[in-house]
Amino acid sequence: MSRILYSLCGADSERPFSPHCWKVVMALDHKGLEFTELPGPFTAIPSLENGFSKTVPVLRDGDLLVRDSFDIALYLEEAYPDRPSLFGGEGGKALARFVEGFSQTVLHPAITKMALLSIHGMLADKDQAYFRASREARFGKTLEEVAAEAEAEKAAFPAKVEPLRHMLKFQPYFGGETPLFADYIVFGAFQWGRITAGLSLFAEDDPVGHWFDRCLDLFNARGRTVTPA
Amino acid sequence: MSRILYSLCGADSERPFSPHCWKVVMALDHKGLEFTELPGPFTAIPSLENGFSKTVPVLRDGDLLVRDSFDIALYLEEAYPDRPSLFGGEGGKALARFVEGFSQTVLHPAITKMALLSIHGMLADKDQAYFRASREARFGKTLEEVAAEAEAEKAAFPAKVEPLRHMLKFQPYFGGETPLFADYIVFGAFQWGRITAGLSLFAEDDPVGHWFDRCLDLFNARGRTVTPA
């Protein structure tokens, strides 16, 4: 098969956890495209495909290489127009950038604090050293100091997804009656927290948790093939 | 003319301020549809069109009455399909609900605290009594107690629009190269704060402020026909 998704894992290659790679897994399934996922550790990324990208996901589709989850989704929409749409038109494509903005600036910073130390624990020695150095430089704090904020973040998290609760009063998915790439953007964030830190962020009766469950069930429960930490 | 938009004002009918009514003004302009705006005070709403709605906006389009800003936009899209689209397809329609969720649950609570006392000050006596009683019951606080949080809300506000800043790195509007109803949803919230409390929420170099300026300039600068408080 000529379609390869390079993704991210720790010491256990059966547990790929990157939120951005999960977006692409779901996008490929949504399009009904077969692919081989090749998860690798942080420190292997720079040598993938002759140094094509500093980050994963990277998609090889035959002779073509594409990087960045949103750009990959745009590529798939363009290259496979007869498969189910990931955006539902130009308006959906544009507004998906706002959903990405919400995920990157509201969800990711919170989940990072909750999951950082668990992610570190999943990595092989060499990657632990890279991860600790790069993340401590980014935060200006030790991983342990960041993790000390985890409980406060957990308590604050349900309020941060109020915009989803409002939306879910009207429809079961970001995409309306069926999911779109915007769903996979936010799914990726929650799945990242679930796999790395076993985060269960929602009360039993929370519509946001029900939405996440629906996403985990998509494509023969692809999301459940990796169990919670 | 048979198209009437019932909207909201205080003692001065030249200063309609409701965020939801502004969404509809922009949507009607976007569709290039002429209309007469009839702003009225809070206490007049229950008797509009024989008690058709407890809230404005209400749109009369010939023999038809429609209420709720989102429902009005859906109606306009359906009734005037040959005019410029407000949603850019089914995906854009679905994702606009998430933008509404963000506006209602993140922006509105913050702007409410910043503008509540100023709104009260714009109203005629009878409406002031209604407004104070209903809002104090809703908040469980006096208007003055809510307003005491205004400065803290102002300081916290720039961080709340980070999702917009991310999006604006890629495109000038929620809708992409040109605005859609999703733009007017958030525009309505900022315009409400601008008209009632003169809120100027963004630093000069903030892309979010630049986006708001672009929205104020749309349709012969319709948004600027009402000056800041």
Side-chain angles (χ1 to χ4, degrees):
Chain A
M1 191 195 310
S2 63
R3 204 173 289 114
I4 296 169
L5 172 63
Y6 297 100
S7 70
L8 183 72
C9 62
D12 182 352
S13 66
E14 303 284 304
R15 301 185 60 73
F17 60 78
S18 152
H20 309 293
C21 297
W22 271 104
K23 294 177 199 174
V24 177
V25 167
M26 300 295 273
L28 287 162
D29 275 1
H30 183 104
K31 285 281 186 193
L33 297 168
E34 299 207 356
F35 64 100
T36 301
E37 183 172 354
L38 293 183
F42 278 110
T43 51
I45 296 171
S47 54
L48 284 177
E49 294 282 4
N50 300 312
F52 175 70
S53 174
K54 288 179 183 170
T55 57
V56 286
V58 168
L59 179 70
R60 169 171 282 287
D61 195 8
D63 291 338
L64 201 74
L65 286 168
V66 194
R67 61 174 301 285
D68 180 89
S69 59
F70 205 102
D71 285 346
I72 292 171
L74 292 173
Y75 161 74
L76 294 174
E77 189 76 348
E78 178 92 11
Y80 302 96
D82 299 335
R83 306 292 185 114
S85 173
L86 285 163
F87 295 104
E90 289 304 309
K93 201 177 280 181
L95 292 188
R97 277 294 186 193
F98 179 70
V99 178
E100 183 181 74
F102 179 77
S103 186
Q104 287 304 117
T105 69
V106 178
L107 305 180
H108 276 239
I111 295 173
T112 294
K113 288 180 188 169
M114 293 187 256
L116 202 64
L117 210 53
S118 301
I119 295 170
H120 181 262
M122 293 173 74
L123 307 179
D125 291 353
K126 183 182 172 190
D127 291 285
Q128 284 193 336
Y130 156 79
F131 188 78
R132 181 175 285 277
S134 62
R135 268 50 178 184
E136 292 189 346
R138 185 187 299 173
F139 288 101
K141 292 180 183 178
T142 66
L143 298 185
E144 290 72 14
E145 283 168 339
V146 175
E149 301 170 43
E151 286 308 311
E153 283 295 334
K154 263 182 216 175
F157 198 77
K160 295 188 178 179
V161 294
E162 270 294 314
L164 278 79
R165 276 185 211 105
H166 174 93
M167 176 192 78
L168 292 168
K169 289 182 208 165
F170 297 93
Q171 56 204 40
Y173 292 103
F174 281 82
E177 291 304 312
T178 55
L180 290 175
F181 187 63
D183 288 90
Y184 310 144
I185 291 172
V186 175
F187 169 80
F190 294 169
Q191 173 78 327
W192 173 44
R194 173 182 169 273
I195 293 173
T196 60
L199 295 179
S200 180
L201 297 163
F202 311 106
E204 265 199 17
D205 59 351
D206 190 333
V208 180
H210 297 171
W211 166 83
F212 184 47
D213 280 337
R214 285 195 293 279
C215 290
L216 284 166
D217 288 336
L218 291 169
F219 316 124
N220 297 315
R222 163 78 77 161
R224 298 192 196 277
T225 57
V226 183
T227 52
Chain B
M1 191 193 310
S2 62
R3 204 173 290 114
I4 296 169
L5 173 63
Y6 297 100
S7 69
L8 184 72
C9 63
D12 182 353
S13 66
E14 303 283 303
R15 301 185 61 73
F17 61 78
S18 152
H20 309 293
C21 297
W22 271 103
K23 295 177 199 174
V24 177
V25 167
M26 300 294 274
L28 287 161
D29 276 1
H30 183 103
K31 285 281 185 192
L33 298 168
E34 300 207 357
F35 63 100
T36 300
E37 184 173 355
L38 294 183
F42 278 110
T43 51
I45 296 172
S47 54
L48 284 176
E49 294 283 5
N50 299 311
F52 174 69
S53 174
K54 287 179 185 171
T55 58
V56 287
V58 168
L59 179 70
R60 168 170 285 286
D61 195 8
D63 290 339
L64 201 75
L65 287 168
V66 194
R67 62 175 299 284
D68 179 90
S69 59
F70 205 102
D71 284 347
I72 292 171
L74 292 174
Y75 161 75
L76 294 174
E77 189 75 348
E78 178 93 10
Y80 302 96
D82 299 336
R83 304 293 185 113
S85 173
L86 285 164
F87 295 104
E90 289 304 310
K93 201 178 281 182
L95 293 188
R97 278 293 186 193
F98 179 69
V99 178
E100 183 182 74
F102 180 78
S103 186
Q104 287 303 115
T105 69
V106 177
L107 305 180
H108 276 241
I111 295 172
T112 295
K113 288 180 189 170
M114 294 187 257
L116 202 63
L117 210 53
S118 301
I119 295 170
H120 181 262
M122 293 173 73
L123 307 179
D125 290 353
K126 183 182 172 189
D127 291 285
Q128 284 194 337
Y130 156 80
F131 188 77
R132 181 175 285 278
S134 62
R135 268 48 177 184
E136 293 190 346
R138 185 187 297 173
F139 287 102
K141 292 179 183 177
T142 66
L143 298 185
E144 289 73 13
E145 282 167 340
V146 174
E149 301 171 42
E151 285 308 311
E153 284 295 333
K154 262 182 216 175
F157 198 78
K160 294 188 179 179
V161 295
E162 270 294 315
L164 278 78
R165 276 184 211 107
H166 175 92
M167 177 192 78
L168 292 168
K169 289 182 208 164
F170 298 92
Q171 57 205 39
Y173 292 103
F174 281 82
E177 291 305 311
T178 54
L180 290 175
F181 187 63
D183 288 271
Y184 310 143
I185 290 172
V186 175
F187 169 80
F190 293 170
Q191 173 78 327
W192 173 44
R194 174 182 169 272
I195 293 173
T196 59
L199 295 179
S200 178
L201 296 164
F202 311 107
E204 265 199 18
D205 59 351
D206 190 333
V208 180
H210 297 172
W211 165 82
F212 184 47
D213 280 337
R214 285 195 293 279
C215 289
L216 284 167
D217 288 337
L218 291 169
F219 316 123
N220 299 316
R222 163 78 78 162
R224 297 191 196 278
T225 56
V226 183
T227 52

